[in-house]
Amino acid sequence: MTSTSRPSSSRPPRPVVGSRNATGRPRKVAGRSRTPGDKLEEPTAAPADEQPTTPTPPVAEPAPEPPPAASDEPLPPSGGPSTASGVRTTLVLVVAIVVLVGVAAAEGWYLWLREEPVVSSGRPVVTGEVAHRSAVEAASDAADEIVSTSYKNYDEQVDQAVSKMTDGFAEKYRQTAEDVRGQFVEAKKEVQVEVTAAGVVRASSNQVEALLFLNQYVTTDGKDTSYTPYRALVTVVDTDQGWLVSDIETK
């Protein structure tokens, strides 16, 4: 059998389906348009040192502090610190004057306009301590001069004692002193009194009753001396001449 040869053809062999071109695909040049028939270029792996890295998130910066709140205090005047200091000094002086005027007005009301409290058994003392203490001291001094006497200058001591009394009580005292004068001078008596304690019993703004504790020493003809403790309730009243004795009661 004679073999017949197939005429050669100039057509290139057709690629087998599923086969890959052994040659590398040309890369696409930037700026060159893709023409029909060009094959897609497969991406090539980048070198290890050129691998993309995960971007580092930005560090959050601290929020700026809010500006300080506006103060309600008024700004100092344009004159500067010296002007502000002068204003404060003036304000202090004004306040001090207002306070002093208020105190003076309150004291004037207390002394002149308020009603006088009434002395009672539940409230026997209605004055301040300073007021009634001066009255008690006046009662103590007056009692020493009224009770103490001597036959040597009897009349002079009576006159001195009367100057510490009100007119009504002075009249009664003179009458009593005159009644015992002869006997007192004849016996050559001398009487000395010592006030050992004193306190207030009742007190108002114009009258005070003081309780005095007395030690009395009586000497007769310069020989015999007797000692007698007793108490005296001395009433003094406020007058233009000061505190004067209006009554004495011995106990």
Side-chain angles (χ1 to χ4, degrees), residues 135-159:
V136 171
E137 292 177 357
S140 299
D141 295 340
D144 188 7
E145 294 188 15
I146 292 172
V147 179
S148 297
T149 185
S150 173
Y151 72 97
K152 298 177 182 178
N153 56 349
Y154 187 85
D155 295 334
E156 295 178 5
Q157 288 189 350
V158 170
D159 293 338

Side-chain angles (χ1 to χ4, degrees), residues 47 49 198 200 203 209 237:
D49 54 352
V200 61
E209 293 181 5
V237 294

Side-chain angles (χ1 to χ4, degrees), residues 82-148:
S82 59
T83 304
S85 177
V87 172
R88 293 192 191 96
T89 303
T90 303
L91 290 176
V92 170
L93 292 176
V94 171
V95 171
I97 293 173
V98 171
V99 171
L100 291 176
V101 171
V103 171
E107 185 176 357
W109 173 85
Y110 180 82
L111 294 176
W112 303 105
L113 301 180
R114 73 182 183 92
E115 295 182 0
E116 178 70 23
V118 179
V119 175
S120 62
S121 57
R123 190 182 180 188
V125 179
V126 295
T127 61
E129 182 178 358
V130 175
H132 68 248
R133 180 180 295 180
S134 62
V136 171
E137 292 177 357
S140 299
D141 295 340
D144 188 7
E145 294 188 15
I146 292 172
V147 179
S148 297

Side-chain angles (χ1 to χ4, degrees), residues 6-212:
R6 304 177 77 178
S8 61
S9 176
S10 61
R11 295 176 60 184
R14 298 176 66 181
V16 181
V17 177
S19 65
R20 300 181 61 183
N21 191 2
T23 61
R25 297 180 180 179
R27 296 184 179 180
K28 182 180 180 181
V29 180
R32 179 180 178 183
S33 62
R34 182 173 174 268
T35 59
D38 289 345
K39 297 182 179 180
L40 296 175
E41 181 182 356
E42 293 183 357
T44 58
D49 54 352
E50 296 181 3
Q51 291 292 333
T53 58
T54 303
T56 304
V59 179
E61 297 183 358
E65 296 183 358
S71 175
D72 294 336
E73 183 178 357
L75 295 176
S78 58
S82 59
T83 304
S85 177
V87 172
R88 293 192 191 96
T89 303
T90 303
L91 290 176
V92 170
L93 292 176
V94 171
V95 171
I97 293 173
V98 171
V99 171
L100 291 176
V101 171
V103 171
E107 185 176 357
W109 173 85
Y110 180 82
L111 294 176
W112 303 105
L113 301 180
R114 73 182 183 92
E115 295 182 0
E116 178 70 23
V118 179
V119 175
S120 62
S121 57
R123 190 182 180 188
V125 179
V126 295
T127 61
E129 182 178 358
V130 175
H132 68 248
R133 180 180 295 180
S134 62
V136 171
E137 292 177 357
S140 299
D141 295 340
D144 188 7
E145 294 188 15
I146 292 172
V147 179
S148 297
T149 185
S150 173
Y151 72 97
K152 298 177 182 178
N153 56 349
Y154 187 85
D155 295 334
E156 295 178 5
Q157 288 189 350
V158 170
D159 293 338
Q160 183 65 26
V162 167
S163 66
K164 304 293 182 179
M165 306 174 187
T166 61
D167 293 341
F169 187 67
E171 184 177 353
K172 295 178 181 179
Y173 177 80
R174 281 188 179 277
Q175 184 62 46
T176 302
E178 185 63 28
D179 292 342
V180 300
R181 181 182 184 281
Q183 182 181 358
F184 192 91
V185 172
E186 185 179 354
K188 297 182 179 181
K189 289 186 177 183
E190 293 181 294
V191 179
Q192 296 294 327
V193 172
E194 177 186 8
V195 180
T196 59
V200 61
V201 177
R202 290 175 176 268
S204 65
S205 60
N206 56 4
Q207 180 172 305
V208 174
E209 293 181 5
L211 181 62
L212 309 181

